[in-house]
Amino acid sequence: MPKTVYRSSYPDLNIESVDLVSYLFSNPLNTPLDRPLYIDAVSGKQYTFSDVIKRTRSLSNGLRQSIGLKPNDVVALLSPNTIEYPIACHAVVGSRGIVAPTSAALTALELNAQLNTSRARFVIVHSSLLETAKKAAKGTSVERIVLLDGTPANGDVTCENMASTFAEADLLTINPSDAARQPTFVCFSSGTSGPAKGVITTHQNMTSNLQQWRAHMLESGSPSQRFERNSAIAFLPFSHIYGLNLFICQCLIWGTTVVVMPKFDLDVFLGCIEKYRPFELSVVPPIALMLVKDERVSKYDLTSVRRIMSAAAPLTVELSTALEAKFKEISKTEVFCTQSWGLTETSPLASTFPNDRMDKRHTGVGNISPNMEFRFVDADTMQDATTNADGSTQPAEIWCRGPNVVMGYYNNEKATAGAFHIDEDGTRWFRTGDIGTIDHEGYVTIHDRIKEMIKYKGLQVIPSELEGKLTDHPDVEDAAVVGMWVDERATELPVGFIVLNRRAKDREQKVVVDGIHAWLNERVANHKRLRGGIIVIEQIPKSPSGKILRREVKEMLKAMLKKQAPKARL
């Protein structure tokens, strides 16, 4: 069977071969140098565009002179969001180093594993996480730990101080011919279904995705359909590819003022929207859910918001629609909520909605970004998916290729080999692990991850679909669905984990759960019923980017079943 390749409907962009920091500081949109680019949401401290350029050059000089940073050295960056973060990031890359952004939520043991994977020579760490870094660095290749913030003590140096005191120096560039091969980041995958892997993101991966994002989202549609991105509220972790690309890189290109939140706090977030009046919000599904259900939302002036973009984890149509209705009530005008799709391995954007196709926004995750190609391949037969009478494909694994698709995984040839398929003609495709479809207009819908799909008596059950239904119930605050294998039935049974809201907690739990079962059964096909039961818990385990940590949920389920043995099981 011949392969079927779906291409972007947009003309190919002329992807520039250039190093990342030179591209970021080229100022293509003529941003005024005195415009504030990074503002601390709590203290109000700010850096202008001019400050960012000067402090990056000074810090790059300081790192090279004071700690001996050399080209290709890997520097782990461990910090919550702070206005010092982008400067440290660009200073390392501008020294021809490689940044390994690491989540501030990691334990010392988890960080130790990532340091061993990246083989980092240095760690730049926020003062609040210094002890974690010290413990994690033991037995690794780390030679020195440098504080990101504060003033020097005991003869030590800090990045904040070096950026203020060292002379500016020219940043080190790369040969343009090396842009497609030279790493700039080692971004760790979320590891929702297994150990996190270090993804090799090159200069060209990032610069191409910056151009794709701009063409697809900023410049698509007619002038009246576009909007200015004058300000953005950043709570998404800078260590995650979504926050790294959008706030550390993309907003710099756009000249967008980024209000930096060190951690998510709903009142601070809402207060920042009221004060800085962004046109668009960038969120993840747990925050979207909070905006729909928390009463505090009505206490703030959020009338500037016209667009809400969700990414990093699946957003259900039910939640998207509810969020639009909430903001329409606030603003007395139409507010569009869209979902974009991508992965760490696509740097990250691979599909989104152009400004002139908001009518398609509830169909999935948009159309294919410029310069990209997709295939939809049955993971069992390795044959391209068949097409239905309406022009849409059968659900299948999405394979993709393009200049934003990474080379592979750092120091992990086995994982790299498993993640890519090479055709007989040598064409290399990244296997995303996501099950999706594409319609006759080229718009993509994501169904779920291959590893997360539940099979009940051979029929597919999509966890994210059931989670969307459950969170639509008035008693449910949050939900997760996993499969439980039952030998006696020789099949998996879907099991629901739910977090009840305050009102529901005041009632008898069995009555509440039975009511949710009855309510859900009326809304789903017979094979999708939660035959494994509904379990009430206090919190759904999630990654910092909002993805449900299903392996942790499954471990919880295993522990519960073990406690029940030798009692009869469902």
Side-chain angles (χ1 to χ4, degrees):
M1 182 177 175
K3 63 184 179 185
T4 305
V5 179
Y6 297 87
R7 294 177 172 83
S8 173
S9 59
Y10 300 98
D12 279 353
L13 304 171
N14 181 23
I15 301 298
E16 300 177 48
S17 293
V18 63
D19 69 275
L20 176 61
V21 180
S22 294
Y23 182 72
L24 293 177
F25 288 173
S26 65
N27 197 9
L29 299 183
N30 298 313
T31 301
L33 291 177
D34 61 355
R35 175 176 292 173
L37 275 194
Y38 294 100
I39 301 176
D40 188 297
V42 179
S43 70
K45 182 179 177 181
Q46 65 180 42
Y47 291 138
T48 64
F49 190 15
S50 177
D51 291 333
V52 171
I53 295 172
K54 290 178 180 178
R55 292 179 70 83
T56 297
R57 288 173 174 163
S58 294
L59 180 55
S60 173
N61 188 23
L63 291 171
R64 283 179 268 163
Q65 289 195 39
S66 64
I67 68 171
L69 178 65
K70 294 182 174 61
N72 294 314
D73 281 345
V74 177
V75 181
L77 185 47
L78 175 66
S79 174
N81 288 3
T82 162
I83 63 173
E84 305 298 336
Y85 196 113
I87 292 165
C89 189
H90 298 320
V92 172
V93 176
S95 303
R96 287 175 57 188
I98 303 167
V99 175
T102 53
S103 170
L106 295 181
T107 65
L109 188 63
E110 291 168 326
L111 178 58
N112 176 271
Q114 291 195 5
L115 293 175
N116 279 318
T117 296
S118 67
R119 299 175 188 171
R121 185 181 173 204
F122 303 107
V123 176
I124 293 176
V125 60
H126 190 270
S127 55
S128 64
L129 298 168
L130 179 58
E131 291 307 311
T132 301
K134 286 180 177 179
K135 291 177 185 176
K138 292 177 181 177
T140 71
S141 56
V142 173
E143 295 177 14
R144 187 166 178 178
I145 297 173
V146 181
L147 277 175
L148 174 65
D149 56 314
T151 54
N154 303 321
D156 245 339
V157 295
T158 73
C159 291
E160 184 177 0
N161 181 258
M162 285 189 283
S164 301
T165 58
F166 269 79
E168 293 181 51
D170 290 338
L171 298 174
L172 303 183
T173 60
I174 63 169
N175 189 313
S177 62
D178 294 332
R181 304 292 301 176
Q182 178 62 39
T184 180
F185 299 111
V186 175
C187 298
F188 283 88
S189 65
S190 58
T192 55
S193 58
K197 300 183 287 289
V199 178
I200 305 169
T201 307
T202 67
H203 286 261
Q204 185 164 291
N205 289 150
M206 286 300 287
T207 57
S208 61
N209 206 235
L210 293 173
Q211 293 174 72
Q212 290 167 315
W213 201 319
R214 178 177 168 184
H216 206 159
M217 297 187 71
L218 194 67
E219 297 176 343
S220 61
S222 66
S224 64
Q225 293 168 322
R226 301 169 193 163
F227 60 92
E228 295 294 325
R229 286 175 168 85
N230 291 323
S231 62
I233 317 300
F235 66 84
L236 300 168
F238 291 166
S239 58
H240 186 275
I241 188 66
Y242 184 8
L244 181 67
N245 183 306
L246 180 56
F247 299 122
I248 302 296
C249 299
Q250 197 73 250
C251 285
L252 221 168
I253 285 285
W254 294 342
T256 302
T257 298
V258 179
V259 183
V260 180
M261 295 176 59
K263 62 180 180 179
F264 185 79
D265 178 282
L266 183 61
D267 284 304
V268 173
F269 180 57
L270 297 173
C272 286
I273 297 172
E274 182 174 86
K275 181 176 181 179
Y276 296 101
R277 304 194 61 75
F279 193 98
E280 182 184 54
L281 302 181
S282 299
V283 302
V284 289
I287 305 305
L289 187 63
M290 193 179 294
L291 291 172
V292 168
K293 300 207 171 191
D294 200 291
E295 296 172 355
R296 287 172 286 176
V297 172
S298 62
K299 298 177 182 178
Y300 293 83
D301 179 1
L302 312 179
T303 55
S304 66
V305 178
R306 294 291 182 275
R307 295 275 183 91
I308 302 171
M309 182 184 75
S310 179
L315 180 76
T316 64
V317 172
E318 293 89 348
L319 181 52
S320 174
T321 303
L323 190 57
E324 287 185 344
K326 182 84 168 186
F327 273 82
K328 185 175 183 179
E329 180 185 336
I330 291 168
S331 300
K332 310 302 180 189
T333 189
E334 197 161 29
V335 175
F336 296 137
C337 180
T338 65
Q339 182 172 198
S340 299
W341 175 75
L343 307 95
T344 306
E345 291 88 346
T346 55
S347 307
L349 185 72
S351 72
T352 192
F353 289 92
N355 292 315
D356 56 351
R357 289 309 307 266
M358 289 296 111
D359 60 303
K360 296 282 287 187
R361 67 191 184 279
H362 294 314
T363 62
V365 295
N367 56 359
I368 303 171
S369 289
N371 297 67
M372 291 201 75
E373 296 178 341
F374 283 21
R375 287 174 65 190
F376 294 78
V377 180
D378 186 295
D380 295 324
T381 66
M382 299 296 280
Q383 298 293 315
D384 288 77
T386 56
T387 304
N388 301 318
D390 64 1
S392 64
T393 62
Q394 286 288 316
E397 183 185 13
I398 301 175
W399 294 7
C400 64
R401 62 191 299 266
N404 54 314
V405 176
V406 303
M407 296 187 296
Y409 301 104
Y410 203 71
N411 296 321
N412 195 335
E413 292 182 7
K414 182 178 179 181
T416 299
F420 289 87
H421 172 84
I422 301 176
D423 287 342
E424 292 179 358
D425 61 5
T427 305
R428 192 170 185 255
W429 296 92
F430 172 61
R431 300 185 60 178
T432 68
D434 279 346
I435 298 292
T437 56
I438 189 167
D439 71 13
H440 70 285
E441 290 188 278
Y443 282 78
V444 177
T445 300
I446 304 298
H447 294 271
D448 220 317
R449 299 285 295 167
I450 290 177
K451 293 179 181 178
E452 293 169 3
M453 197 76 73
I454 300 166
K455 287 284 187 74
Y456 172 70
K457 295 185 176 180
L459 300 172
Q460 288 187 349
V461 178
I462 300 171
S464 60
E465 178 189 352
L466 292 176
E467 289 155 5
K469 300 288 186 190
L470 286 168
T471 53
D472 207 31
H473 190 280
D475 289 335
V476 178
E477 195 73 40
D478 204 357
V481 174
V482 296
M484 172 180 69
W485 181 263
V486 179
D487 286 334
E488 294 86 346
R489 300 193 184 188
T491 190
E492 279 187 297
L493 299 182
V495 182
F497 286 78
I498 60 172
V499 178
L500 296 176
N501 59 27
R502 284 176 292 180
R503 291 180 304 241
K505 287 178 181 177
D506 293 335
R507 290 150 42 211
E508 185 183 343
Q509 189 174 106
K510 184 179 184 304
V511 173
V512 173
V513 169
D514 287 348
I516 294 170
H517 263 302
W519 178 91
L520 182 66
N521 289 346
E522 294 177 354
R523 290 163 171 79
V524 298
N526 182 60
H527 70 279
K528 297 178 183 178
R529 293 182 176 186
L530 295 175
R531 287 178 166 82
I534 294 177
I535 300 168
V536 178
I537 58 176
E538 287 299 313
Q539 186 177 13
I540 302 296
K542 292 185 179 180
S543 70
S545 63
K547 289 181 181 177
I548 295 171
L549 298 174
R550 296 189 193 277
R551 73 176 186 278
E552 290 190 18
V553 178
K554 288 181 178 180
E555 287 301 319
M556 290 168 55
L557 181 58
K558 285 181 184 176
M560 290 175 184
L561 293 173
K562 192 173 182 180
K563 281 184 180 180
Q564 290 176 4
K567 296 178 183 177
R569 294 182 185 175
L570 288 172

